[in-house]
Amino acid sequence: MQAQFAGAELVEGNWYCPSMPKPLKDATKDLVTKKIDKQTWINRIQQRTPYLFMPKQRADAEGHRRMMCPAEANRGQCSLKPYTLGRGIHLPLIDPEPSPVGSPTACTQRTITLPPEAGAQLWQPLQYGTAERQRVYFRLRNAIEGMNGFSKDSLYEHLEPGGTRRIRGIAAQAILLAFQLAHANTRKLATWAGSIALHGNQPHRRPTRRRKTKPLGTWTPKGYLTETTA
């Protein structure tokens, strides 16, 4: 658990019901400590879905998001909300533990409003561990790593060593680094523009090297080859 708001718990970047079983909350931790195998971890990640808070509407201009608990979103049945019971055995039954201070707001109201600062550093729109999230994450990760390698080219920006920014101070280093990244972006755009056809023209290609190759006979010492007649 990374954060809390109105009773909702942020677990690995997503807001879940506070009554989600502890083995599901600790799925990744148990995988890292080798208490469970990879398939068990995948199963537990999938079992988290019925406990996931769902958006009631889109975020407003300031970033506030209206969210519903899983029982309100018709993903579960909660004993604190009797009108959600009896929906069928295919929906999990959420049975919160009694608390001396009463139930949290997320369990007593139909919706809660999450401010933009709630879990802002760790919240993510896709559910962690799912196939959709893995597909998007690795695609973006490959793009970022490719750009890093592109900007570290020693023939151009040479971004990695500090010797290309010989000045003291974090602010000055950041400004020079921004110029280097801007140049790398410009170079990448120019490379892309040169590889496509614009306005019906042929794509610009780097001119091939034209070699003037002499025939092998010119390198043979004279007198050792005789002309043959048919």
Side-chain angles (χ1 to χ4, degrees):
M1 185 177 63
Q2 301 163 318
Q4 282 184 322
F5 183 82
E9 297 180 352
L10 187 70
V11 180
E12 293 187 318
N14 304 114
W15 293 102
Y16 291 96
C17 172
S19 298
M20 184 170 68
K22 186 173 177 56
L24 302 185
K25 297 179 183 180
D26 297 339
T28 302
K29 183 170 65 174
D30 291 343
L31 177 66
V32 172
T33 56
K34 298 183 179 179
K35 293 182 179 179
I36 59 174
D37 57 10
K38 187 64 175 293
Q39 186 58 47
T40 304
W41 175 80
I42 294 175
N43 295 337
R44 290 187 181 182
I45 292 296
Q46 294 174 348
Q47 293 169 9
R48 286 179 177 178
T49 302
Y51 299 92
L52 185 66
F53 269 69
M54 300 299 296
K56 175 71 173 179
Q57 58 190 24
R58 293 183 179 180
D60 60 14
E62 297 177 348
H64 293 83
R65 290 172 289 132
R66 198 77 173 166
M67 304 290 287
M68 300 182 294
C69 77
E72 292 289 346
N74 201 23
R75 290 195 168 200
Q77 306 174 76
C78 182
S79 59
L80 294 178
K81 299 179 178 180
Y83 55 88
T84 65
L85 300 176
R87 292 176 175 174
I89 60 174
H90 63 286
L91 297 178
L93 177 62
I94 303 173
D95 189 15
E97 295 183 0
S99 173
V101 296
S103 301
T105 306
C107 298
T108 57
Q109 296 184 175
R110 291 182 177 270
T111 61
I112 59 173
T113 301
L114 291 173
E117 66 271 13
Q121 295 180 338
L122 301 171
W123 176 81
Q124 50 185 306
L126 299 178
Q127 187 180 4
Y128 177 80
T130 59
E132 181 184 8
R133 192 260 183 191
Q134 297 292 86
R135 182 175 61 256
V136 174
Y137 172 80
F138 286 112
R139 183 188 306 156
L140 297 176
R141 175 72 180 271
N142 292 338
I144 292 173
E145 293 298 334
M147 186 62 190
N148 289 341
F150 184 82
S151 59
K152 291 178 182 178
D153 193 331
S154 58
L155 295 179
Y156 296 96
E157 294 79 22
H158 206 28
L159 196 66
E160 187 172 10
T164 58
R165 300 178 297 276
R166 299 184 179 183
I167 191 170
R168 294 180 181 272
I170 296 178
Q173 287 280 332
I175 292 175
L176 292 181
L177 181 63
F179 276 105
Q180 288 179 297
L181 289 174
H183 185 269
N185 288 332
T186 303
R187 183 165 62 90
K188 198 171 189 65
L189 289 173
T191 302
W192 170 78
S195 63
I196 61 175
L198 295 175
H199 309 295
N201 299 325
Q202 294 295 325
H204 175 73
R205 298 180 182 273
R206 181 178 296 180
T208 57
R209 179 181 176 185
R210 296 184 178 181
R211 300 180 178 87
K212 295 182 179 180
T213 305
K214 297 181 180 180
L216 293 177
T218 59
W219 300 98
T220 305
K222 295 180 179 180
Y224 286 89
L225 291 181
T226 58
E227 294 182 0
T228 59
T229 58

